[in-house]
Amino acid sequence: MTASSPPPAGARRAALAALTIVLACVTSSCNSQSFQQSSGPSMPMIPAAPVQPPPPPMNVARLLNGNWIATYPGGPLRVVIGLDQMLRGRNYVATLVDGNKEIPPGNVVWRGTLDHHVPGIVIADQICAEHGFQQSRWVKARIIVSDPSNFREELVNPHDCGGFPVKFTRVGPAPTAPVTD
């Protein structure tokens, strides 16, 4: 055999058919979704920040500083409430401005601290005395603050002293923020 002879017609037809099938597969593959132009890699969405709950309402028991009128026996009596400068934190001292027959003016009538578990409550020690400041003693009490201008004082044991509960009403406008500790 000297020269190569052309492939028979059947073989050419088979090769042409195979080439047509390959081209059809390539063309259909290029038209599929995976070969289409995209806008780029998809970026993960950053989740929106969760909505924060509103801050808790201010504890009105933090607003007791100031001048008050109290319904102690022999009253109404003026009382000044301030923070104990010798102690850190919310340590109240209530001082009687007007005296009565049991407690002379200028004496501390109760001392208390915020109840950190229950808003609007101050845990206090109340002075109890007999006529002329005789047999004075300290008893446990609760200050229950209803709003910045009103609160009441109750004894833990109501039989410790007479004249309780005592209601306090603020003299003048109520503060909108507590005095810093």
Side-chain angles (χ1 to χ4, degrees):
M1 298 221 182
T2 58
S4 68
S5 59
R12 270 190 271 153
R13 245 186 261 140
L16 184 59
L19 182 61
T20 303
I21 291 173
V22 168
L23 286 174
C25 287
V26 169
T27 303
S28 70
S29 294
C30 289
N31 287 335
S32 74
Q33 288 277 345
S34 60
F35 281 99
Q36 297 299 316
Q37 174 106 10
S38 72
S39 60
S42 64
M43 296 298 289
M45 293 294 294
I46 297 174
V51 175
Q52 296 296 317
M58 182 174 41
N59 183 352
V60 292
R62 294 179 56 85
L63 302 174
L64 293 183
N65 295 40
N67 297 313
W68 297 84
I69 296 291
T71 62
Y72 284 116
L77 302 175
R78 292 179 296 164
V79 177
V80 174
I81 299 175
L83 292 178
D84 187 338
Q85 300 302 318
M86 300 301 289
L87 299 173
R88 293 182 57 155
R90 192 72 25 189
N91 294 287
Y92 291 114
V93 177
T95 305
L96 196 59
V97 175
D98 301 320
N100 61 14
K101 62 183 179 179
E102 286 87 21
I103 303 172
N107 280 288
V108 171
V109 287
W110 61 263
R111 297 177 193 269
T113 60
L114 288 177
D115 183 329
H116 294 287
H117 303 288
V118 182
I121 301 289
V122 173
I123 305 301
D125 291 316
Q126 167 69 44
I127 190 89
C128 284
E130 302 302 323
H131 183 71
F133 210 53
Q134 300 291 318
Q135 301 172 345
S136 63
R137 64 201 177 282
W138 292 94
V139 298
K140 298 294 179 191
R142 269 185 302 270
I143 308 300
I144 302 164
V145 185
S146 55
D147 62 63
S149 294
N150 297 283
F151 69 87
R152 76 179 186 278
E153 180 184 10
E154 298 176 347
L155 298 181
V156 172
N157 182 356
H159 304 292
D160 283 342
C161 285
F164 285 87
V166 174
K167 294 180 182 174
F168 284 73
T169 304
R170 184 180 296 278
V171 175
T176 56
V179 173
T180 56
D181 294 339

